Amino acid sequence: MDAKALTEETYHLILIMKKITLLSLLAVVACQSPTNEAEPNATAFALDNLDTNAAACEDFFQYTSGGWREANPIPETEVRWGEFNKLAEANKQKIKVLFEEVTKGSYEKGSDEQLIGDLVTSGMDSTSRNERGTAELSSYLEEVDQVVSLEELFALMARNKFAGISGPISVYVSTDAKNSNAHALYVGQSGIGLPDRDYYLKSDEESAQLQQKYRDHISAMGDLLESPIDAQEIYELEYALASAMKSRVEMRDADARYNLMTQVDWQNLAPSLPIEAFMAELSLFASGPELATEEVVNSSPEFYSRLELVLATFDLAVWKDYHKWHIIKGASSALNDALEIQDFEFYQKTLNGKPKMNPRWKRVQGSTGMLGQQVGHLYVKRFFSEESKAEVEQMVENLREAFRGRIDQLNWMTPETKVKARKKLDAFTYKIGYPDTWKDISDLEISKDSYFANMKEMQHYFTKENLQKLDQPVDKSEWGMGAHIVNAYYNPLNNEVVFPAGILQPPFYNPDADAAINYGAIGGVIGHEFSHGFDDQGSKYGPDGNLENWWTDQDKSQFDSLTERLASQYDAYEVLPDVHVNGHLTLGENIADLGGLTLAYYAYQNYKSTKEVAPVDGFTDDQRVFLGWAQVWQSNAREEYLKNQVTTDPHSPAQFRVSGPVSNMPEFREAFGCESGNNLKEEGTEIIIW
Ligand SMILES: [Zn+2]
């Protein structure tokens, strides 16, 4: 469901996810035949959560979560807190127990238990970590000192890519968006230390203060390493990189991101950029020093064109300081307490408003993301029931059937395009729970000794694994997320929806709840992921996961005008005084929320068919579909976090994930008997996309 879960995933996963442009968050489970239909459990939706002073038709978010929000203040170690986070927290507690077990036992080298146990042991060993201090980073910084040319520096940056250190050139292997059975080498824009280019480009007073705090942070980190670096110069270089970047909204455009070019064409964009020196270090080839491909897919040619000027503006000394800063930044959670605290002070407290650092066990657990497959394996062995897998499978098919019905009745789409949409919908595959086969990484070297060395070893292992895929066929059975993760995604390149075991629990799927609640919650999430295949970007991919146009011009233009109206609606939403949702950044997610809740509603209608369902706690079953969706989004958030979210997160803040979709649903108006309401569109003006 959101960016937070993603950041806890590993570097390796992030590489994959970058390609999953619509990766979503959310999702999950379902219920085919809720068990206690006759006597639903009252806690399926607790009435205490309501704010009965608010009216459902006026402010459905406040109405459904006002009581919850009063009773659930944000813990000091969190930036936002909701039902979603509570589930994620419960999962962390379960994994904590698993980790405590594997750190105590003795296991075969290379087994999941050995890898995780030794990694966690090294991370929890605060005595050794503090004794070593920052000494293990010294050789990295000394290497930079010895560099005498830009060519050498970029070659070093490429070698340090294997240590997880980022720079201006982003390179990774992923499925070729125009040939989904093969891999392509992608290059893109990167290399800034603030979360988005907009943090550099804004000039209001609050932004200027934040920029100063960032420079102070760079200096403080340099001081801790006893490695003087010029924060002002580094900032100016990053500012120039940020200015060269395309915006997040521009980067969402799947067509604009696909620019197949030769390495020579790439070089011509930035003649002074040492591309050859950089690429030569990457060993993108199983055998020999030549690139396995001479072509790259460049997601931001604009960035490389503008980089030429950046290269001419800054001298080698600044570039060297810049790279040192990123070496230090990349190691901030793997060395001593002093570094970790300083990093927390800026990235968590200042940028996101988090008052207090998480305990060590949670920080170390967060750093096991690169072993996500192995953690997921331990998790499902202990905590996942095959029964829920079967139930969710049935729910997914019910949602697909509802989507077929929606496509058939659309009045804005011609029969010709409907046939194509159906074809894509029928081709959707799904993964539920956990992978059929578990990946063997028993040759990974992890020991109880050095946490820092373990982190570098994993970065190296998974970066190499990613690059070596270039000349291998695509393994469509691969998972982009650990099975324990409370999240879900749609991958347009596989045309698949994926629901890990972690999210198949309340509030998403509650076996004790009435069917209407489960359809609104889990059903809404499944519908959300399906709808990503038909959002403004997902709809550019065909049934086989290739970027190809299956629309007539007329239908495409109808679709675009509907989605533009939705973008305008969300642009008007005010999160804080003068802070608005970015309707184009969040467009894909907002289409998926609207589509998801609509599909959930109709899947429920199919499910109950002609049965009469008695009200529960005074709410009709149709009303409870909407309560189920709203319950997932009950939450509080810190102001700093919200400001960060609207700049960087493709998901709208929780309140608009509730009020946005219901405002466009005549089905909601009817269920609650609304004649009018602040949150509702005038009758007949609703934006109905799917
Ligand atoms: Zn999504």
Side-chain angles (χ1 to χ4, degrees), residues 75 100 123 136 233 260 276 301 334 409 532 534-535:
E100 282 165 1
E136 289 165 290
E233 299 249 53
L260 188 65
E276 239 180 273
Q409 62 79 52
H532 269 313
F534 298 90
D535 73 16

Side-chain angles (χ1 to χ4, degrees), residues 119 122-126 128-137 140 163 221 327-341 343 357 360 363-364 367 370 449-459:
L119 175 64
S122 68
M124 293 300 293
D125 185 356
S126 56
S128 292
R129 287 178 60 181
N130 283 317
E131 272 171 17
R132 285 193 174 98
T134 59
E136 289 165 290
L137 208 54
Y140 286 86
M221 292 289 272
I327 289 171
I328 298 167
K329 179 173 175 291
S332 57
S333 65
L335 295 167
N336 59 2
D337 288 353
L339 214 58
E340 209 171 357
I341 290 166
D343 184 78
M357 210 167 175
R360 186 178 302 276
R363 305 201 301 272
V364 170
S367 77
M370 278 186 276
D449 186 30
S450 161
Y451 188 50
F452 176 83
N454 284 337
M455 298 303 281
K456 293 299 172 194
E457 185 62 30
M458 288 193 296
Q459 292 287 4

Side-chain angles (χ1 to χ4, degrees), residues 22-25 528-529 532 589 651:
L22 309 169
L23 172 165
S24 96
L25 293 193
H528 173 102
E529 301 304 342
H532 269 313
E589 296 299 333
H651 302 86

Side-chain angles (χ1 to χ4, degrees), residues 62-213:
Q62 180 61 24
Y63 175 71
T64 51
S65 68
W68 188 97
R69 296 176 72 211
E70 285 254 337
N72 291 275
I74 308 171
E76 295 261 277
T77 55
E78 304 296 327
V79 293
R80 62 143 195 224
W81 193 242
E83 278 299 302
F84 203 111
N85 303 85
K86 282 187 172 182
L87 172 56
E89 174 66 24
N91 258 20
K92 283 178 194 167
Q93 296 288 348
K94 288 179 185 170
I95 291 166
K96 180 178 186 232
V97 173
L98 291 175
F99 281 9
E100 282 165 1
E101 286 174 18
V102 296
T103 52
K104 284 177 191 142
S106 173
Y107 301 97
E108 190 188 341
K109 189 162 169 12
S111 62
D112 293 346
E113 290 84 355
Q114 182 268 318
L115 294 171
I116 295 166
D118 287 359
L119 175 64
V120 172
T121 298
S122 68
M124 293 300 293
D125 185 356
S126 56
T127 309
S128 292
R129 287 178 60 181
N130 283 317
E131 272 171 17
R132 285 193 174 98
T134 59
E136 289 165 290
L137 208 54
S138 305
S139 61
Y140 286 86
L141 299 174
E142 282 159 16
E143 271 187 297
V144 180
D145 285 331
Q146 286 157 18
V147 160
V148 296
S149 70
L150 203 60
E151 283 69 27
E152 278 184 32
L153 184 67
F154 273 79
L156 180 60
M157 282 182 186
R159 290 198 295 281
N160 282 337
K161 175 184 166 57
F162 290 95
I165 297 157
S166 62
I169 304 179
S170 151
V171 180
Y172 57 92
V173 171
S174 184
T175 302
D176 186 340
K178 292 202 174 173
N179 175 12
S180 66
N181 290 313
H183 285 105
L185 184 61
Y186 285 82
V187 301
Q189 60 184 34
S190 78
I192 55 177
L194 286 169
D196 186 82
R197 67 159 207 175
D198 286 359
Y199 278 88
Y200 298 84
L201 306 185
K202 285 191 198 160
S203 54
D204 58 278
E205 195 181 327
E206 194 182 329
S207 299
Q209 282 172 5
L210 206 56
Q211 290 154 8
Q212 184 56 48
K213 285 179 182 165

